[in-house]
């Protein structure tokens, strides 16, 4: 096996907020039905943060679990990287708030903004800085999409949820880590999935608040078509670059945006559905949070064992996409 980049995953963790919002709850909020949401998306319920809870709070809880599983003190970490598009504040980064929460000043901490592909972008960044830092690195994917969702827009609110997942990677001489990693983006399609206001293009004003321009605006149909193509193509490229056959994949962990997108990606990449971990039913689309949460769930349930080959694939706003094959 030829390794693109070696690292060892030494711990994982996840956190989902306590409050649960079911499809039946949503029936009382917008003109929709449990049946429509389940058949069109696969989502049955989602977790929602408290008013006083932010993205870093979720990451800190997931980080504590990952550190415990790794048998590591927070002080052993060499860097913190958070994939998110719903940061606590535009600055400081969520990474810095996580560092404060873990009480480990001094080490580098930063965010990666790549929407639903955020975790794969963060993992790629983390694995490449590992060679210079040479200490365990905390990589998180986390989003509190409920705080940037228009709860009167049935086209988006039925999809979204909140949650965080953490993976700790460490340097290793063992044959494990990335066999391949593919990342891509097409900024010309950014308007199809965007939170228009709150940045320097459209700073907050009474008008932006009145027009709900601080919430996710999405052309669902268009996003769907691009997601199927880009996620499928990235998965095919990652399998090819790894020099393996699709049948050799032990478990596929896709971004969980819509079960129909996952099924179409499996067909395109020739990865069987029974080797695909689908968790969207109980948490919805948590953007950068879905892959690490599903990965931690798969490890906890014994669906991923040491030396297994795992395929990740994601697609999100930007547009951005990514796929990688790693040996656990
Ligand atoms: N309940 C009931 N009916 C609905 C709902 C709803 N919640 N939403 C839309 N409809 C209706 C539409 O009005 C339309 O009715 P019409 O035919 O009378 O006009 C009909 O259902 C079909 O609408 P479509 O938009 O064509 O439905 P589609 O099958 O495309 O499903 C969905 C919509 C679920 C949004 C799908 O397009 C999708 O999953 N897109 C990808 C979304 C995604 O992955 N986004 C990532 C966002 S997260 C991030 O990056 C931060």
């Amino acid at each position: 096996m030829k390794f693109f980049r070696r690292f060892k995953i030494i711990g994982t963790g996840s956190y989902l907020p306590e409050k649960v919002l079911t499809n039946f709850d949503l029936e009382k909020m917008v003109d929709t039905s449990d049946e429509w949401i389940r058949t069109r998306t696969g989502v049955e319920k989602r977790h929602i943060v408290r008013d006083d809870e932010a993205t870093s709070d979720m990451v800190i809880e997931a980080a504590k679990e990952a550190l415990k599983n790794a048998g590591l003190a927070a002080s052993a970490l060499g860097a913190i990287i958070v994939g998110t598009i719903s940061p606590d504040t535009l600055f400081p980064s969520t990474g810095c708030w996580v560092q404060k929460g873990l009480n480990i000043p001094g080490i580098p901490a930063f965010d990666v903004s790549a929407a639903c592909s955020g975790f794969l972008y963060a993992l790629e960044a983390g694995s490449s800085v590992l060679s210079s830092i040479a200490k365990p690195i905390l990589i998180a994917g986390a989003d509190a999409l409920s705080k940037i969702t228009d709860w009167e827009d049935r086209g988006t609110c039925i999809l979204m949820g909140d949650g965080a997942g953490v993976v700790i990677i460490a340097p290793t001489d063992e044959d494990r880590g990335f066999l391949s990693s593919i990342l891509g983006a097409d900024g010309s399609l950014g308007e199809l999935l965007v939170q228009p206001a709150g940045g320097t293009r459209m700073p907050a004003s009474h008008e932006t608040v009145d027009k709900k321009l601080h919430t996710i605006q999405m052309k669902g149909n268009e996003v769907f078509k691009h997601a199927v193509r880009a996620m499928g193509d990235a998965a095919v490229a990652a399998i090819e670059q790894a020099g393996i056959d699709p049948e050799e994949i032990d478990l596929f962990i896709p971004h969980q945006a819509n079960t129909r997108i996952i099924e179409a990606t499996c067909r395109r990449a020739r990865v069987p559905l029974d080797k695909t971990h689908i968790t969207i039913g109980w948490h919805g689309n948590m953007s950068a949070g879905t892959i690490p949460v599903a990965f931690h769930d798969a490890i906890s349930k014994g669906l991923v064992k040491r030396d297994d080959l795992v395929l990740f694939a994601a697609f999100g706003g930007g547009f951005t996409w990514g796929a990688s094959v790693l040996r656990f």
Side-chain angles (χ1 to χ4, degrees):
M1 269 176 188
K2 201 159 161 273
F3 280 83
F4 169 69
R5 210 171 277 140
R6 282 182 171 74
F7 58 85
K8 183 173 187 176
I9 294 172
I10 57 169
T12 59
S14 72
Y15 173 82
L16 297 178
E18 207 177 307
K19 183 179 167 190
V20 171
L21 191 71
T22 66
N23 292 348
F24 298 104
D25 295 325
L26 278 168
E27 284 181 355
K28 296 178 199 125
M29 296 161 64
V30 287
D31 182 13
T32 191
S33 67
D34 168 61
E35 208 255 333
W36 193 96
I37 302 172
R38 265 190 298 106
T39 52
R40 295 289 181 117
T41 73
V43 184
E44 291 170 27
K45 57 180 179 139
R46 66 287 290 144
H47 292 252
I48 305 289
V49 285
R50 298 185 311 269
D51 287 349
D52 67 346
E53 203 172 21
T55 300
S56 72
D57 299 318
M58 297 195 292
V59 176
I60 289 164
E61 291 307 315
K64 286 179 186 163
E65 186 180 19
L67 287 163
K68 191 169 165 228
N69 288 338
L72 217 62
S75 56
L77 292 172
I80 295 172
I81 307 175
V82 181
T84 188
I85 48 151
S86 47
D88 294 28
T89 48
L90 283 181
F91 75 91
S93 70
T94 303
C96 287
W97 294 122
V98 170
Q99 191 210 53
K100 179 183 181 219
L102 294 176
N103 192 21
I104 42 172
I107 61 169
F110 60 96
D111 290 359
V112 173
S113 172
C116 303
S117 313
F119 175 73
L120 295 190
Y121 268 66
L123 187 58
E124 166 77 36
S127 68
S128 69
V129 298
L130 199 60
S131 56
S132 54
I133 289 181
K135 283 172 102 182
I137 295 183
L138 188 154
I139 294 158
D143 273 299
L145 293 184
S146 69
K147 298 240 178 164
I148 55 167
T149 293
D150 175 358
W151 289 99
E152 291 177 344
D153 174 10
R154 68 176 184 173
T156 55
C157 74
I158 50 114
L159 290 167
M160 312 306 182
D162 303 335
V166 161
V167 162
I168 299 175
I169 63 171
T172 186
D173 295 328
E174 298 168 19
D175 277 345
R176 56 188 85 256
F178 277 147
L179 286 166
S180 63
S181 178
I182 306 279
L183 296 178
D186 184 353
S188 71
L189 298 168
E191 302 291 340
L192 296 175
L193 178 52
V194 60
Q195 181 188 0
T200 52
R201 178 70 59 201
M202 212 185 279
S205 66
H206 289 293
E207 193 189 351
T208 60
V209 173
D210 290 345
K211 290 185 172 166
K212 296 189 176 176
L213 295 175
H214 298 269
T215 61
I216 298 169
Q217 320 278 313
M218 175 178 77
K219 299 260 183 304
N221 260 322
E222 290 295 316
V223 176
F224 190 98
K225 282 184 253 165
H226 286 283
V228 166
R229 197 174 317 126
M231 239 167 99
D233 289 352
V236 168
I239 291 168
E240 251 175 49
Q241 196 189 77
I244 58 165
D245 290 321
E247 305 83 70
E248 292 177 73
I249 299 291
D250 293 298
L251 195 70
F252 174 32
I253 303 197
H255 167 53
Q256 318 271 327
N258 185 318
T259 311
R260 290 184 293 143
I261 294 176
I262 295 173
E263 289 165 354
T265 303
C266 287
R267 284 194 292 276
R268 218 173 166 96
R270 294 192 296 121
V271 175
L273 258 184
D274 61 8
K275 282 188 174 181
T276 303
H277 196 44
I278 302 180
T279 56
I280 188 171
W282 44 272
H283 57 57
N285 184 351
M286 307 176 296
S287 190
T290 67
I291 289 184
V293 167
F295 186 42
H296 173 66
D297 183 63
I299 293 169
S300 308
K301 290 179 174 152
L303 301 175
V304 180
K305 298 173 290 303
R306 268 292 162 222
D307 298 335
D308 276 358
L309 293 181
V310 180
L311 169 69
F312 293 130
F315 176 85
F319 287 149
T320 58
W321 56 85
S324 46
V325 174
L326 70 80
R327 186 161 190 256
F328 181 56

